[in-house]
Amino acid sequence: MSHQTSTHSRTQSSRTPHKRPPGPRRLLLLRALLAAAFCALGVRLFFLQVVDHAHYAALSVGQVDEKLTTTALRGGIYDRDGQTLAVSRPTSQVIADDFQIKHPAKEAQAMAPLVQVPLARLTALLSRQSGYVVVNNALNLTDGRRVSSLGFPGIVVQDSSVRTYPDGTLATSLLGGVNAAGAGTTGIEYEFQKTLAGQSGVTRELVSASGVNLPATHSTVIRPAKPGVGMELTIDSSLQYVAEHDLAQQLKAEDGLTGLAVVMDVKTGQILADASLVNTKTPAGALGPIPSWGKSVGYAGIDQTINNLPFSQAYEPGSVFKVVTFSAALQAGLITPNTIFTVPNSVVVGGRYFHDAENHGLEHLTATEVLAQSSNIGTYEIGLRVGESGILAQVQRLGFGQTTSINFPDETSGLLVNAANWYASDRVALPIGQVDAVPAIQVLDAYNAIANGGVFVEPKLVRAYVSADGAMKATPASATRVVLSKSADATMVKMLEQVVLDGTGTEAIIPGYTVAGKTGTATIPFPGKDKLTDSYNATFVGFAPADNPILSMIVVIQRPLNDIYGGSVSAPVFQEIMSYALHHYGIPSNGAIQKPLTGAAAISSDVT
């Protein structure tokens, strides 16, 4: 009995309890909750996709939409005959977003011939994983368009340009250069940056986070770039080449540190040539290194200077400054060409010892002979007649101490003595050019005024502006002012002729032409010390034909080692360059220009 009871109990306890299915009320509640969730989601999607579509679309585009500045094509620079000196060539810039490139080697193999990059190098560029790689910044436009049309993944082609100088190093110290961004850094490229650069444009681009255009997208031009305005200079490329060549040859022969030569049209002030060179191999370079472009002009170590020395370098001019003293005395009627002066070899004034270049006993010289022989002591005696105020006034009248209207980059006005810092010794030092420091362009301007009948004319470098469509607009004529009476000026010219005929400037003689000019040999002072070095500046400045001047010119060679005198170092360079220029422009021996206006007349013609 008890056994039966135990078996029954086990049977009852092993049964699994039966679960009831959910009731109708619970099922309805679950369905209602699901329906409400789907309705809420639908409403949210409606607001996102319909009501707020514009807002979120703008936000999404804003994450990749970018307004980019497009650089305008830079204006060209041309010489007076339209020969190209500097030009920007339109190119295509190929950029890669290498994060988008899945098969660098395969893509490089297809692209290499088109982008003109060696296969191995292109494969490496596309494999960098940097997000932005410039493949080629100067691809020609035809290949650039072809690359763009083929739609390589991760590759974008943009407009670009490259600045080139077709004549190589010609006039580099004058033209200057541009940086990697295409902006002018020196010279004319810097001075006229705004004019040449034009106005940048704006485009809308869809770009990746790395800044590269997204695939299969197009640029939208918001504002087109406006090309820069070019300019026609007064420079004559042929004369510029001759000036640089002849100057470089003499700089090399004399082992000088720097050399400059400037040729000017007497009537208009137009600069026809401007050479500025440095000898990087001379031992004198250790005393004052001059930055160069590092490109030879055809003679080993003779380079174009980065700064244009005729405008930027002030130097002690020496005897070429005597034109101030003599012109002031002639203007005031204090001397004539035949006025006799008793000239000792030396004087002591203000505690300083002054002497002539060559020892001599007591001499009796006419004013013309004083100038022709470049007597320091004779010039001092003439300066005494003019007086301190007269000398200082003439210095200013002839343009010394004043920057030119060209306002060339880094142009210096010079360092001049004035009434406030006048010393007794300046009664000798100033009249003979041993106390002022001036740029060569100011010396040339003064002599050009003598050549121009006593009328000072501002120098000029730009003849016309050239718009993108080729239209030209002439620049205004240079400003002028009278600085010397016609009679005093004519006398000054005749006296300067004698310097060349039988004075210190005989090596400037040009067969068939009359030449007027002046030599200058100045000892270079120690910087910041009342002490002189054993180095010199050698200068010759003059004009031709003297009886009807058309061209003026200055040559300065700094620190020549083999010779020191302006008459033997710089005058020969003047002779070579001026001789070429006179024949190049077809200038007759008397300077008269015959009609029709050809040859020489072209150098004074205005652009229309």
Side-chain angles (χ1 to χ4, degrees), residues 154 205 222 331 342 361 388 398 408 433 460 463 506 572:
E205 311 273 358
I222 298 175
Q331 180 72 21
T342 301
E388 174 189 336
L398 289 178
F408 200 83
K460 185 176 183 178
R463 294 181 77 216
T506 56

Side-chain angles (χ1 to χ4, degrees), residues 205-342:
E205 311 273 358
L206 296 179
V207 299
S208 66
S210 59
V212 176
N213 296 47
L214 294 177
T217 62
H218 300 280
S219 301
T220 301
V221 177
I222 298 175
R223 185 182 70 240
K226 185 177 180 180
V229 175
M231 52 188 55
E232 182 181 275
L233 302 184
T234 61
I235 296 298
D236 181 323
S237 292
S238 297
L239 182 57
Q240 177 73 25
Y241 174 81
V242 170
E244 291 181 4
H245 174 84
D246 291 343
L247 180 64
Q249 188 176 43
Q250 185 73 334
L251 190 59
K252 187 76 174 178
E254 296 296 340
D255 216 5
L257 175 59
T258 65
L260 64 87
V262 181
V263 184
M264 184 182 290
D265 178 348
V266 167
K267 303 300 180 184
T268 65
Q270 293 184 18
I271 294 175
L272 306 174
D274 178 322
S276 179
L277 308 178
V278 58
N279 185 350
T280 62
K281 304 298 184 181
T282 177
L287 299 175
I290 307 296
S292 79
W293 287 96
K295 298 178 181 178
S296 174
V297 297
Y299 294 84
I302 308 298
D303 299 345
Q304 296 270 359
T305 59
I306 289 181
N307 293 325
N308 190 260
L309 301 182
F311 289 88
S312 65
Q313 184 183 68
Y315 81 111
E316 198 167 86
S319 293
V320 293
F321 204 73
K322 291 173 181 175
V323 70
V324 172
T325 308
F326 279 83
S327 63
L330 290 169
Q331 180 72 21
L334 299 173
I335 63 170
T336 70
N338 297 318
T339 303
I340 301 292
F341 291 89
T342 301

Side-chain angles (χ1 to χ4, degrees), residues 40-56:
L41 181 61
V43 171
R44 181 58 178 161
L45 288 174
F46 174 79
F47 275 93
L48 287 175
Q49 296 183 357
V50 180
V51 178
D52 295 330
H53 170 75
H55 171 69
Y56 286 103

Side-chain angles (χ1 to χ4, degrees), residues 60-61 63-66 68 95 97 100 147-158 203-209 211-221:
S60 64
V61 171
Q63 293 176 357
V64 292
D65 181 31
E66 185 174 343
L68 301 178
I95 303 171
D97 180 355
Q100 299 181 32
V147 171
S148 181
S149 67
L150 293 175
F152 290 102
I155 299 297
V156 175
V157 181
Q158 298 178 337
T203 61
R204 177 180 287 118
E205 311 273 358
L206 296 179
V207 299
S208 66
V212 176
N213 296 47
L214 294 177
T217 62
H218 300 280
S219 301
T220 301
V221 177

Side-chain angles (χ1 to χ4, degrees), residues 408-473:
F408 200 83
D410 294 322
E411 181 176 343
T412 178
S413 60
L415 298 171
L416 275 70
V417 167
N418 56 40
N421 58 12
W422 182 271
Y423 292 90
S425 60
D426 292 337
R427 287 181 293 171
V428 186
L430 181 59
I432 65 176
Q434 289 188 1
V435 67
D436 283 344
V438 296
I441 190 64
Q442 290 181 11
V443 178
L444 179 58
D445 285 343
Y447 278 81
N448 193 77
I450 304 299
N452 198 29
V455 178
F456 185 98
V457 56
E458 285 284 348
K460 185 176 183 178
L461 267 175
V462 180
R463 294 181 77 216
Y465 293 103
V466 186
S467 61
D469 61 4
M472 298 180 67
K473 181 180 179 181

Side-chain angles (χ1 to χ4, degrees), residues 155-192:
I155 299 297
V156 175
V157 181
Q158 298 178 337
D159 291 337
S160 185
S161 65
V162 173
R163 194 66 163 175
T164 59
Y165 302 88
D167 286 330
T169 63
L170 186 74
T172 302
S173 66
L174 182 69
L175 298 175
V178 298
N179 59 20
T185 56
T186 54
I188 287 173
E189 294 275 29
Y190 175 79
E191 181 180 6
F192 295 97

